[in-house]
Amino acid sequence: MSVDRPSPLAGEGTRPGRREVPAHVGRPRTLHLSDRAREAVAGYVFLLPWLVGFLGLVLGPMVASLWLSLTKYDLLTPPRWIGGQNYLDLLTDPRYLQSVRVTLTYVGLAVPLRLVFALLLALVLNRGLRGLDLYRAIFYVPSLLGASVAIAILWRQLFGGEGVLNQVLRLLGWANPPAWVVDPRFAILTLVVLAIWEFGSPMVIFLAGLRQIPRELYEAAMVDGAGRVSRFFGITLPLLTPLVLFNLVLQMIGSFQAFTPAYIVSGGQGGPVDSTLFYTLYLYQQAFGSLHMGYGAAMAWILLAAIATITAVIFTSSRYWVFYMEQGR
Amino acid sequence: MTRVWPSAAKHVLLIAGALLMLYPLLWMLSASFKPAGEIFTSLDLIPSQPTLSNYTEGWNGLGQPFTGFFLNSIALCALAVMGNLGSCTLAAFAFARLNFPLRRLFFALMLMTIMLPFHATVVPQYVLFKALGWIGTFLPIVAPKFLAVDAFFVFLLVQFIRTIPRELDDAAKIDGAGPFRIFARVVLPLTIPALATTAIFTFIWTWNDFFSQLLYLGATVQSFTVPVALRNFIDVTSGSSWGQLMAMSLLSLVPIFGFFLAFQRLLLEGISTTGLRG
């Protein structure tokens, strides 16, 4: 199998000594068996890094994680088989249940709100607006920066007791506003606000989708006398539903894994009173703080199962609300 | 639409919205130039007595200059970019252009791993990397990039390579080119826009990725990256010198912001196209 022949690509047709090259220009894809085998070998050579990574760093660890979740393991002594004990313990661990509550609250608020803002702004910014590029850039930037430690630190300041928000509120006459980030009632909401602030990337996807909608559809609808509202619900929204589905799944999966903002705003503790104890934060504390690796692995598997289930539910339900143009009207 | 909603009103609202979105960042910028007393007393975005001391003192605030943290972050990101560019392109070419047994199965598995949460594998990976003696080095973060574990980019590149006309491959085949030559001479040069998207996103995501840097590089000051250093800086300053914290935080965002300004079009198109094709 000689793979790297010193031949110029743009050379003239057939070359001497290479009889297996199909000379028939009309059917260039007809390959001889030897070529086919050669291609298979080449395929695996190209795929090798991915294959090693997939087996060694994804599939292998997932299986290992499932096994670890059935053991007690502290990195120092060998894992000890305890069956389903970790899972049972989780069910009665109040901090774990709190982390589930916090995470579901966060995902349930952050994802829909972010998508609503993204869709609204995309609609306003769509088509022929002067300064569109500048607006789009400004609204997009926070979604690039938002996941950083720096922005989480900034949030801690903005929504702190002496923060910018409270300075404004005091100016407006509210003498004693709550210290948002350290108030258990509001801490999670400051993180939701941060999540909404990052609506830019789904917005850009919606904008691209809006541009794909054929103008003729609107023109035809206007000829039929359809107003703005019925054009939105009759044309725009149905044709955007595939992207709503895409963004929904993507944002949902991402939000379940949120870690940095909660970690930084609460100083790594998930406080005040565990009100920002995200699932991933508790996993981190258990697995890498207390070295309860088996317990952490069990948490990881439940997270994976939960995300997979919700994704499956969304996809199953999508046949009732996602509209694909090819299926006709 | 514009007739019903006068465009002037629309612009006023949009500008107000844009300012609201930008306000936190502008405030951060202004706070980084304010003397300590002014941050909590004045809402003015223009400091009354601008000072650079937050930058000069903050830079050395952790007992060790931020120079090393920035160099660590840059090196880590550069290696991650190299890894993703190499490994993801190879895998993408195989999936998009070559026929081999089990291709469909592997492709489906690759797609599934895009959705896989990072935390699903992190515990055993940590155990593995600890056994290899890699904790405290870049390897736990960089090695997976050289093994195409970021399946998202494999998918992005597959989608891009599929848009390159196969006739070009066929023409090269007639000239006697094998898969490797077709990859290097025909497909790779035409894939440059998608490679740029891959490089930029890899850089930004690695720069921001706090969890794994905290996990693998958080133990010794020498191996701190910028996010880890910032996290430790919070404890050191303990609320007393917000100005320094803001100054260093702002500096940590400069590379991302720079990438955005330089490659805005590419970034936005990258999102749009992968979004549409997903």
Side-chain angles (χ1 to χ4, degrees):
Chain A
M1 184 199 72
S2 87
V3 287
D4 204 16
R5 255 167 255 102
S7 77
L9 270 184
E12 60 281 23
T14 45
R15 298 167 59 249
R18 297 235 335 113
R19 258 165 299 147
E20 76 271 27
V21 171
H24 192 19
V25 187
R27 303 198 325 252
R29 292 222 190 128
T30 328
L31 296 174
H32 296 262
L33 196 64
S34 65
D35 283 355
R36 187 181 280 260
R38 219 180 51 176
E39 190 175 328
V41 171
Y44 274 95
V45 170
F46 275 99
L47 204 62
L48 192 63
W50 177 82
L51 208 52
V52 172
F54 176 71
L55 295 176
L57 295 173
V58 181
L59 192 63
M62 281 181 68
V63 175
S65 168
L66 190 58
W67 176 70
L68 275 181
S69 79
L70 302 170
T71 68
K72 194 175 169 65
Y73 183 43
D74 61 2
L75 273 183
L76 307 169
T77 49
R80 191 162 54 79
W81 180 268
I82 55 168
Q85 195 58 47
N86 285 324
Y87 293 94
L88 290 177
D89 288 349
L90 281 170
L91 287 178
T92 52
D93 176 352
R95 291 198 79 203
Y96 174 72
L97 297 175
Q98 170 68 7
S99 78
V100 171
R101 247 190 316 272
V102 168
T103 307
L104 288 178
T105 311
Y106 175 76
V107 174
L109 288 173
V111 173
L113 287 171
R114 191 189 274 183
L115 290 188
V116 166
F117 273 87
L119 186 56
L120 273 179
L121 265 295
L123 289 171
V124 176
L125 291 184
N126 187 33
R127 277 188 185 153
L129 185 76
R130 200 175 294 172
L132 168 68
D133 285 353
L134 183 63
Y135 285 126
R136 190 177 59 168
I138 291 174
F139 289 121
Y140 174 67
V141 158
S143 70
L144 273 187
L145 308 177
S148 65
V149 169
I151 294 297
I153 290 176
L154 173 64
W155 234 248
R156 210 170 127 119
Q157 205 297 324
L158 292 179
F159 293 94
E162 305 301 316
V164 174
L165 177 65
N166 279 357
Q167 290 178 46
V168 174
L169 291 176
R170 287 202 185 92
L171 275 182
L172 295 175
W174 189 354
N176 267 319
W180 309 94
V181 286
V182 293
D183 188 319
R185 289 170 299 168
F186 300 113
I188 184 83
L189 291 182
T190 64
L191 299 180
V192 171
V193 172
L194 174 54
I196 298 171
W197 190 62
E198 299 164 52
F199 67 77
S201 102
M203 178 196 76
V204 170
I205 293 174
F206 281 136
L207 267 174
L210 286 171
R211 218 163 298 144
Q212 301 276 313
I213 300 178
R215 256 170 201 281
E216 300 84 63
L217 286 182
Y218 291 108
E219 283 157 12
M222 276 157 92
V223 171
D224 291 346
R228 269 186 62 218
V229 176
S230 57
R231 265 179 288 155
F232 174 74
F233 285 103
I235 300 172
T236 313
L237 198 56
L239 290 182
L240 275 187
T241 47
L243 290 185
V244 174
L245 173 69
F246 175 83
N247 276 330
L248 181 65
V249 171
L250 221 61
Q251 299 295 333
M252 185 271 295
I253 295 177
S255 298
F256 266 107
Q257 297 176 70
F259 174 79
T260 311
Y263 185 94
I264 295 297
V265 167
S266 71
Q269 299 306 309
V273 224
D274 286 348
S275 63
T276 61
L277 188 68
F278 279 17
Y279 198 100
T280 53
L281 188 49
Y282 191 51
L283 194 157
Y284 178 83
Q285 286 181 0
Q286 282 294 335
F288 305 110
S290 321
L291 292 183
H292 297 155
M293 307 301 272
Y295 205 62
M299 285 186 69
W301 263 97
I302 295 178
L303 179 66
L304 182 62
I307 291 179
T309 308
I310 296 176
T311 308
V313 167
I314 293 176
F315 271 108
T316 312
S317 77
S318 74
R319 85 175 60 145
Y320 300 105
W321 59 272
V322 173
F323 180 92
Y324 291 101
M325 191 124 75
E326 303 86 69
Q327 291 168 358
R329 290 175 272 172
Chain B
M1 263 189 205
T2 36
R3 252 178 292 126
V4 190
W5 193 358
S7 81
K10 195 170 171 176
H11 278 286
V12 169
L13 275 177
L14 276 174
I15 290 168
L19 284 177
L20 190 67
M21 291 287 285
L22 286 183
Y23 185 82
L25 298 173
L26 295 174
W27 184 86
M28 191 181 209
L29 180 67
S30 111
S32 73
F33 289 106
K34 282 179 178 175
E38 208 181 309
I39 291 181
F40 291 105
T41 53
S42 159
L43 278 171
D44 274 347
L45 280 182
I46 313 289
S48 63
Q49 293 164 312
T51 167
L52 279 175
S53 68
N54 288 328
Y55 286 90
T56 52
E57 283 165 32
W59 192 262
N60 295 299
L62 264 183
Q64 184 143 331
F66 264 73
T67 320
F69 310 141
F70 271 91
L71 289 177
N72 278 345
S73 269
I74 290 168
L76 184 73
C77 289
L79 287 168
V81 168
M82 282 163 50
N84 266 353
L85 283 182
S87 66
C88 295
T89 320
L90 291 177
F93 180 76
F95 282 131
R97 281 296 204 261
L98 299 174
N99 263 314
F100 50 89
L102 300 181
R103 186 178 66 125
R104 283 174 181 280
L105 172 73
F106 285 144
F107 190 66
L109 288 171
M110 188 275 293
L111 286 183
M112 266 190 255
T113 61
I114 296 181
M115 301 290 186
L116 193 72
F118 172 74
H119 304 87
T121 52
V122 71
V123 171
Q125 275 187 10
Y126 185 87
V127 175
L128 172 70
F129 294 142
K130 190 165 174 65
L132 292 170
W134 286 4
I135 310 295
T137 73
F138 286 174
L139 285 169
I141 298 167
V142 168
K145 313 280 185 202
F146 280 88
L147 298 173
V149 170
D150 281 353
F152 171 77
F153 294 114
V154 178
F155 177 63
L156 182 139
L157 289 161
V158 166
Q159 294 296 78
F160 194 88
I161 292 174
R162 278 179 177 162
T163 64
I164 299 171
R166 259 184 195 270
E167 286 73 29
L168 297 176
D169 298 32
D170 294 337
K173 247 180 231 167
I174 290 165
D175 289 342
F180 294 88
R181 184 163 276 269
I182 293 174
F183 169 70
R185 297 286 169 80
V186 180
V187 171
L188 206 53
L190 294 171
T191 314
I192 286 174
L195 291 176
T197 310
T198 302
I200 295 162
F201 274 111
T202 303
F203 185 95
I204 291 175
W205 289 349
T206 310
W207 188 272
N208 275 343
D209 171 25
F210 176 59
F211 189 98
S212 46
Q213 291 170 29
L214 176 73
L215 189 58
Y216 293 117
L217 302 169
T220 50
V221 184
Q222 282 71 31
S223 60
F224 278 7
T225 53
V226 174
V228 182
L230 279 178
R231 186 257 167 278
N232 282 276
F233 202 39
I234 302 175
D235 293 343
V236 175
T237 54
S238 66
S240 59
S241 39
W242 276 103
Q244 292 178 26
L245 198 51
M246 286 302 133
M248 291 306 108
S249 297
L250 192 78
L251 287 182
S252 81
L253 297 178
V254 167
I256 305 177
F257 204 71
F259 263 91
F260 173 72
L261 288 183
F263 302 106
Q264 206 197 117
R265 189 161 292 276
L266 215 55
L267 274 172
L268 294 172
E269 271 167 19
I271 305 170
S272 313
T273 46
T274 48
L276 281 177
R277 289 168 183 172

